[in-house]
Amino acid sequence: MRDDNPIDIPVEMKRTKISEIFEPSLIGSEVSVKGWVRTRRGNKNVQFVALNDGSTVRNLQIVFDLSKFSEDSLRAVTTGSSIHVTGRLVESMGKGQSCEVQAETLELYGTADPESYPLQKKGHTLEFLREKAHLRPRTATFGSILRIRSALAFAIHKFFQEKGFFYLNTPLITASDCEGAGAMFQVTTLPLNNLPKTEDGAVDYSKDFFGKPTALTVSGQLEGELGATALGEIYTFGPTFRAENSNTPRHLSEFWMIEPEMAFYDITDNMDLAEEFVKYCISYALENCRHDIEFLAEHFDKELVERLEFVLHNDFVRLTYTEGVEILKASGKKFEFPVDWGTDLQSEHERYLVEEHFKKPVILTDYPREIKAFYMKQNEDGRTVRAMDVLFPKIGEIIGGSEREADYDKLLARIEELGIPMKDMWWYLDTRRFGTVPHSGFGLGFERLVLFVTGMTNIRDVIPFPRTPNNAEF
Ligand code: 4AD
Ligand code: MG
């Protein structure tokens, strides 16, 4: 109640978020806090509740003096229940917290039956929590991960906006397969149990919603290039979909990708930007998510902060694919998949280069043209393209990109060689027919960045609702 309230109407005290309560100037004042109960313990004189409202990994201790509160009134205050407490904020005598609230009023919003609340106990495994993806954001671990994820998303926009890049929204429903891998989710409104057929027995897509076959996009790059060759520097940041059946700790069927695309950038400019960009994101997280990072470091990955700082303070090593393959072959190490010039590098090879050989992030360039997408700039040697992959410790590939083939004839020849249908590509080729310019871009897998910054090891744990083969429950 406020003193200056002229007519005695009770005014509800303004809620203070727990993230703001540790501010020393608040000590001694009356506060109103709301949140979910993490634990309740104590004895017959006093009960302690650890309260969390999602604004921070830190819990606020609420002290219930049992001379003021009956045991009955506290019975439903169990782990997972939601409450509103008012009381005085005082310095805490107890270890592990700077202040606590001496409760004066208690309002119970919602109970959480201890018999059935799935997060009743502490210390559940990450595997168990994946089965409870609808509730796991209530745990300290997932709270931290999701706050870091949110901060990184903000950092990404901040980085590009401050550099004068424009945020371009590219379509999610598309008719072209950018990466040429054919791993797309089809989008259709045709009745699957009664498909319209043409005279020769094929599906009649002229009857489909868009009058042609369409799918969810695997990348916004091709449309991104249209933006870059008009606005100069753009970035996309949106969901992408891949129907590849890879059940690994680094693949999702639905993931978020950031794809900057820049006119007048060559491959070196592209590498410089990629390196500056990831370092910026990591440093933003270290500055703005310190409590969350430290919590995750303490519980999952003791070397996390050290690893993040190491990446920040070291130049990425740059070398060609050919040089990388030579190092791998000379290593004498037995890999599950043998390496030879022309084969795609597996995660074990990438991680050998990064973790054992250079012990630094690596940018590999100039890959064999046969293992890379059609749009990459062809080198003079006729064998390689101006690709660049950024490889990170514990992650492997975090960024894939290239300088683009800007020459109409060379690009067309490659499209024809690969048998990519022209009806999907004419508009893309127009960028090379009209005012073509040298340009480059790359794609950062957002979840792989979040994996790196949080120190988590399974990509299913860094997106709120993971989509993987056989998993779309929540
Ligand atoms: O290397 P990718 O396939 O490159 C592209 O899609 C280009 N069009 C990007 C561009 O040049 N604009 O994918 C880029 C990044 C990878 O390095 C990886 O970090 C992430 O996207 N990625 C995935 N992340 C999670 N799950 C998957 N299935 C992923 N596939 C790729
Ligand atoms: Mg790639």
Side-chain angles (χ1 to χ4, degrees):
M1 230 176 287
R2 286 167 39 181
D3 300 341
D4 59 353
N5 192 358
I7 32 177
D8 241 354
I9 305 168
V11 176
E12 196 181 324
M13 208 190 303
K14 196 166 173 294
R15 168 191 168 221
T16 305
K17 284 200 210 181
I18 296 178
S19 58
E20 284 152 15
I21 214 135
F22 302 100
E23 173 61 45
S25 67
L26 288 180
I27 295 283
S29 62
E30 288 288 316
V31 294
S32 158
V33 289
K34 302 178 178 185
W36 293 270
V37 172
R38 282 279 163 78
T39 56
R40 176 164 65 85
R41 60 185 177 82
N43 53 40
K44 57 183 178 357
N45 300 321
V46 62
Q47 290 278 309
F48 300 99
V49 162
L51 191 70
N52 189 280
D53 66 1
S55 63
T56 163
V57 68
R58 300 166 80 182
N59 296 331
L60 176 63
Q61 173 154 291
I62 315 282
V63 186
F64 290 96
D65 184 339
L66 292 190
S67 64
K68 287 191 213 152
F69 292 86
S70 68
E71 270 184 64
D72 235 19
S73 68
L74 290 180
R75 192 151 294 134
V77 179
T78 57
T79 299
S81 64
S82 45
I83 59 173
H84 171 200
V85 170
T86 63
R88 190 169 298 280
L89 189 70
V90 298
E91 262 176 75
S92 176
M93 306 294 175
K95 274 210 309 230
Q97 68 257 336
S98 54
C99 59
E100 61 193 24
V101 171
Q102 285 172 340
E104 278 150 31
T105 69
L106 166 69
E107 180 186 357
L108 180 71
Y109 285 131
T111 57
D113 180 5
E115 296 294 316
S116 50
Y117 181 55
L119 308 179
Q120 182 59 30
K121 291 194 194 66
K122 274 185 155 185
H124 287 299
T125 64
L126 295 169
E127 288 79 8
F128 172 86
L129 291 173
R130 258 170 243 151
E131 305 285 310
K132 306 278 180 261
H134 61 309
L135 291 172
R136 68 179 182 174
R138 298 246 195 121
T139 63
T141 299
F142 284 89
S144 288
I145 294 168
L146 295 179
R147 280 185 297 272
I148 293 171
R149 184 181 165 107
S150 168
L152 284 170
F154 182 70
I156 286 162
H157 283 292
K158 194 161 149 34
F159 175 81
F160 285 118
Q161 294 286 334
E162 284 174 359
K163 276 195 171 305
F165 282 52
F166 300 103
Y167 179 38
L168 184 79
N169 298 121
T170 51
L172 298 191
I173 300 175
T174 171
S176 57
D177 179 359
C178 170
E179 291 307 297
M184 302 181 87
F185 290 100
Q186 196 174 343
V187 173
T188 181
T189 53
L190 290 178
L192 294 181
N193 48 8
N194 185 21
L195 290 169
K197 296 281 170 67
T198 59
E199 269 171 20
D200 52 11
V203 176
D204 185 0
Y205 281 106
S206 70
K207 303 253 165 28
D208 203 351
F209 191 89
F210 296 103
K212 55 154 92 178
T214 52
L216 294 177
T217 188
V218 296
S219 159
Q221 178 196 323
L222 302 187
E223 296 87 354
E225 288 185 50
L226 301 178
T229 53
L231 300 171
E233 293 162 325
I234 63 92
Y235 68 104
T236 72
F237 186 175
T240 44
F241 308 87
R242 297 203 182 172
E244 43 193 14
N245 204 351
S246 24
N247 244 316
T248 82
R250 281 176 302 277
H251 288 86
L252 289 164
S253 315
E254 176 180 296
F255 64 98
W256 288 64
M257 187 154 49
I258 298 94
E259 295 186 276
E261 191 72 33
M262 299 75 63
F264 318 114
Y265 275 50
D266 66 12
I267 187 77
T268 308
D269 303 323
N270 205 22
M271 287 192 275
D272 291 345
L273 182 75
E275 181 166 345
E276 187 189 346
F277 171 48
V278 274
K279 285 181 170 170
Y280 179 91
C281 294
I282 294 168
S283 115
Y284 185 89
L286 278 171
E287 273 168 38
N288 293 278
C289 310
R290 201 72 205 199
H291 289 305
D292 289 318
I293 290 176
E294 277 166 5
F295 174 84
L296 295 173
E298 188 186 325
H299 289 84
F300 295 98
D301 182 353
K302 298 275 181 281
E303 284 137 34
L304 179 59
V305 175
E306 204 185 316
R307 191 178 321 110
L308 297 178
E309 277 171 357
F310 181 81
V311 166
L312 275 189
H313 298 123
N314 281 281
D315 290 341
F316 297 2
V317 180
R318 300 178 183 190
L319 71 159
T320 65
Y321 165 92
T322 304
E323 289 164 333
V325 166
E326 276 160 16
I327 292 170
L328 289 166
K329 287 173 91 169
S331 72
K333 192 156 166 119
K334 265 242 156 304
F335 293 110
E336 193 189 333
F337 297 91
V339 226
D340 219 348
W341 199 95
T343 58
D344 211 353
L345 296 185
Q346 302 292 324
S347 171
E348 54 171 342
H349 308 132
E350 297 172 342
R351 293 183 59 175
Y352 175 83
L353 290 174
V354 173
E355 290 166 21
E356 294 182 50
H357 188 80
F358 290 110
K359 298 194 166 63
K360 275 185 192 178
V362 168
I363 311 184
L364 274 190
T365 58
D366 303 287
Y367 282 71
R369 69 204 284 266
E370 309 309 332
I371 59 172
K372 288 292 182 188
F374 73 95
Y375 51 71
M376 296 190 180
K377 185 174 171 67
Q378 297 163 39
N379 281 325
E380 298 296 312
D381 63 12
R383 303 207 303 159
T384 59
V385 287
R386 221 159 281 178
M388 58 164 228
D389 276 8
V390 180
L391 313 178
F392 256 41
K394 300 199 59 154
I395 307 289
E397 179 189 335
I398 193 163
I399 285 179
S402 72
E403 183 168 345
R404 317 307 188 190
E405 182 54 76
D407 182 279
Y408 179 83
D409 294 324
K410 285 189 188 160
L411 183 61
L412 182 65
R414 189 73 184 129
I415 286 176
E416 284 173 345
E417 194 179 357
L418 291 170
I420 301 170
M422 266 323 270
K423 64 175 176 23
D424 295 342
M425 281 302 148
W426 63 271
W427 53 271
Y428 181 70
L429 279 161
D430 268 5
T431 54
R432 277 61 166 181
R433 281 177 68 200
F434 308 118
T436 189
V437 290
H439 64 288
S440 301
F442 60 82
L444 168 77
F446 185 47
E447 285 74 20
R448 297 209 183 159
L449 175 69
V450 184
L451 264 182
F452 185 71
V453 172
T454 57
M456 292 289 112
T457 52
N458 193 316
I459 200 161
R460 292 165 182 76
D461 296 333
V462 298
I463 185 164
F465 305 104
R467 295 288 174 266
T468 50
N470 287 317
N471 179 30
E473 180 73 16
F474 306 101

